[in-house]
Amino acid sequence: MVVAGLPDQAALAVIAFGILATLMLFESAYVVQPRSTMRAEAAAAAAWLGLCRPTVSWPRSSVKAALVWCLVVPVALAGLHFLGQLALAQLWSPVVDSVQQAARSQRRDMIVGGGWFSGVVLIPVFVAAIPEEVQYRSLVLVVQRMLGAWTSLPGVVRVAAVGLAAATSVAVFALSHAAFGPTNVVSAAIGGAFYTGLAVYTRSLWPAIVCHAAFDAMAISLTMF
């Protein structure tokens, strides 16, 4: 909202969500019995959304695991996605619809107008990666977590359900980019597959957030510089 020139609406949204979060945490920590700490409740809520430490084959405390799955692999996939989008744009860029051209132009003006820090840091991380990963990937992790607790279900059923949730997440994420043209839809589908795969494998949103932010930073840097 701030980048789009709506600071008043952004302030109201922050205040509203802040009050709501405070009330929820207060009730969980001091009204519901047995009592818990607000820090524990906040950590549990974040973990439920997927904002938790990745769980992979290495020990959870391993620095190597954190570097590999929260930095090396996501950035490498983002680079691969970026190169793929460049090739796709060279081979197929059929944006002839005036509405789609206007949407692209408006997005480009917003990115350039915000300056390099906004374009390379604020927009990729706080406007795109974090809210979009919570919006499109958290539900997949919730399904994975819930079905994992139902040990009576056959393994093939759990895999199929998580796969269906993942495919739906990728499809909806791709279609949300339709206003910017068909190449954006294809690129978003590729990126969505990367982000969803990282989230499901690591059971965390952080690798997907890093991958998403790195790709957007690369794409925006090309637009700006």
Side-chain angles (χ1 to χ4, degrees):
M1 290 181 180
V2 173
V3 174
L6 303 172
D8 295 338
Q9 290 85 337
L12 289 175
V14 170
I15 293 172
F17 282 107
I19 293 174
L20 178 62
T22 301
L23 291 174
M24 291 176 63
L25 291 174
F26 177 82
E27 179 158 350
S28 298
Y30 299 108
V31 177
V32 177
Q33 298 295 333
R35 289 187 177 181
S36 178
T37 64
M38 293 185 70
R39 179 179 178 182
E41 294 295 331
W48 184 253
L49 290 176
L51 299 173
C52 53
R53 187 177 300 177
T55 302
V56 292
S57 57
W58 285 305
R60 294 184 62 186
S61 60
S62 171
V63 176
K64 182 179 179 181
L67 287 175
V68 168
W69 289 105
C70 287
L71 184 62
V72 177
V73 172
V75 172
L77 289 176
L80 182 63
H81 182 198
F82 179 66
L83 293 176
Q85 176 165 319
L86 290 180
L88 182 65
Q90 292 294 325
L91 296 174
W92 180 55
S93 185
V95 181
V96 295
D97 183 89
S98 60
V99 176
Q100 294 176 351
Q101 290 176 339
R104 282 191 169 193
S105 178
Q106 183 180 12
R107 181 175 64 174
R108 188 179 300 107
D109 292 343
M110 181 188 72
I111 291 170
V112 174
W116 71 268
F117 181 75
S118 174
V120 179
V121 178
L122 293 181
I123 293 177
V125 178
F126 298 102
V127 176
I130 293 178
E132 288 185 357
E133 290 310 305
V134 171
Q135 180 179 357
Y136 293 104
R137 250 60 69 178
S138 285
L139 181 60
V140 181
L141 293 181
V142 169
V143 172
Q144 183 186 43
R145 189 179 301 111
M146 291 178 61
L147 294 177
W150 296 347
T151 55
S152 59
L153 284 176
V156 66
V157 175
R158 291 198 294 268
V159 171
V162 173
L164 178 61
T168 303
S169 168
V170 172
V172 174
F173 179 69
L175 292 175
S176 70
H177 292 72
F180 304 108
T183 53
N184 272 256
V185 174
V186 175
S187 178
I190 296 171
F194 285 163
Y195 311 148
T196 305
L198 283 170
V200 170
Y201 181 74
T202 63
R203 298 175 180 266
S204 170
L205 286 184
W206 290 119
I209 288 172
V210 172
C211 186
H212 193 157
F215 169 78
D216 283 355
M218 293 176 192
I220 290 174
S221 296
L222 182 65
T223 300
M224 296 185 67
F225 307 111

